[in-house]
Amino acid sequence: MSDHEQQPLPPTSRLSGDALPPVEQHAQQYETVRNAHETELIEDYVELIGDLLRHRGEARAADIASRMAVSQATVSKMIRRLNELGLVTSRPYRSLFLTEEGHKMAETSRARHDIVLHFLRALGVRDTTARIDAEGMEHHVSDETLAIMQRFTEKHQP
Amino acid sequence: MSDHEQQPLPPTSRLSGDALPPVEQHAQQYETVRNAHETELIEDYVELIGDLLRHRGEARAADIASRMAVSQATVSKMIRRLNELGLVTSRPYRSLFLTEEGHKMAETSRARHDIVLHFLRALGVRDTTARIDAEGMEHHVSDETLAIMQRFTEKHQP
DNA sequence: CAAATAGTTTAGCCTTGGCTAACAATTATT
DNA sequence: AATAATTGTTAGCCAAGGCTAAACTATTTG
């Protein structure tokens, strides 16, 4: 027998930290994180490809490899996946391009990324740190929080 | 040839979003995220075990499984890893306990988690959302940002 | 106390996302 | 044009973190 939510918490439980959330809610937190992890890498690739296309006019596998600090083989394998998912089109030794759907994903991802990054800067975080944190955080920020971050940034940085 | 940082950006690059960071910095962002992912799950387990011990007095594999929404087999395997890492002690069919080191990790993790959670609430995020976002974000927030979040929370919520 | 229920472990499978090494194709240089 | 350098692909390896099914242990209950 375990995890009887109905029994009152022992007195020690208020010494520090919040109470444990009910099991279902707690479980949902972890599930949300696991789901985010599944899409995270895909979104990172697509977002980076979008950025490269926008800033450089082309997105080569080699650029992705060096910017992600990952081997070319890894990138090659990943591109095959992105292809199968219908997010990019690729011809060997040519620049990658995003499909309609890939483009949409890149835009959404970049928008989210920008909001988090600008929010952190508005909060007072140094640029380099803000960039690192934003990269990690962006996939875990809900729309609700995102909206609040955006409002905050607008108010605190004219 | 690709990724010549020295050539001036084409005019289109200022249409939206920030400029691309230099390759080394960009690479470091992704590396930091990858490293975070490696420790993330470990920390989540250890933190949860700490919470269960604190709030319930014991931490059983079954509780962890239901709170993480994961099979008992997965938990069992993970506990073996935590054991090898010297973070928990376990005897079959008995509650888990944290080692000295595990306890330290749990505390650090919980502290970070709390700061992020309270910060989000102070920002105006609803409790349920804040909990979900905090769970995902906590492993990607640098000490610098954490400190800023804490100051913010103190100021905005006495 | 025997049987049922709950908790735990083990074995074996799968997918992801890394890697290196070897090879192929393209592009650049001499 | 030949060679060198860069870029890309493929094959095959590994660890992590899920899963189910089956077996075993402990606890609760009839």
Side-chain angles (χ1 to χ4, degrees), chain B residues 39-147:
Chain B
T39 49
E40 202 164 323
L41 235 211
I42 303 285
E43 284 180 13
D44 280 347
Y45 271 87
V46 169
E47 188 184 345
L48 177 54
I49 291 168
D51 284 347
L52 286 170
L53 286 172
R54 200 150 42 80
H55 289 290
R56 291 270 191 287
E58 61 170 15
R60 312 294 300 255
D63 299 344
I64 298 174
S66 58
R67 296 200 96 94
M68 289 214 168
V70 127
S71 77
Q72 295 197 346
T74 298
V75 173
S76 197
K77 200 195 263 192
M78 201 60 181
I79 289 172
R80 200 166 51 227
R81 271 198 73 204
L82 297 179
N83 238 309
E84 286 161 7
L85 291 172
L87 295 167
V88 310
T89 59
S90 67
R91 285 144 52 215
Y93 303 96
R94 290 287 172 277
S95 171
L96 294 165
F97 291 99
L98 294 173
T99 63
E100 187 62 32
E101 195 190 340
H103 189 255
K104 242 183 281 175
M105 180 184 281
E107 285 304 290
T108 311
S109 220
R110 186 175 57 77
R112 217 199 330 243
H113 193 132
D114 281 357
I115 291 173
V116 175
L117 178 57
H118 294 146
F119 170 77
L120 287 174
R121 292 205 278 232
L123 248 196
V125 180
R126 282 184 307 125
D127 184 75
T128 316
T129 314
R131 294 189 108 102
I132 292 176
D133 290 7
E135 188 61 58
M137 287 168 59
E138 61 167 319
H139 304 283
H140 302 279
V141 178
S142 63
D143 288 348
E144 180 189 341
T145 303
L146 218 50

Side-chain angles (χ1 to χ4, degrees), chain A residues 52-70:
Chain A
L52 286 170
L53 287 171
R54 199 150 43 80
H55 289 291
R56 291 270 191 287
E58 62 171 15
R60 313 293 300 257
D63 297 345
I64 298 174
S66 57
R67 296 200 95 93
M68 289 214 167
V70 129

Side-chain angles (χ1 to χ4, degrees), chain A residues 11-27:
Chain A
T12 60
S13 65
R14 301 276 76 232
L15 281 180
S16 67
D18 285 328
L20 288 170
V23 203
E24 305 73 27
Q25 190 189 336
H26 211 167

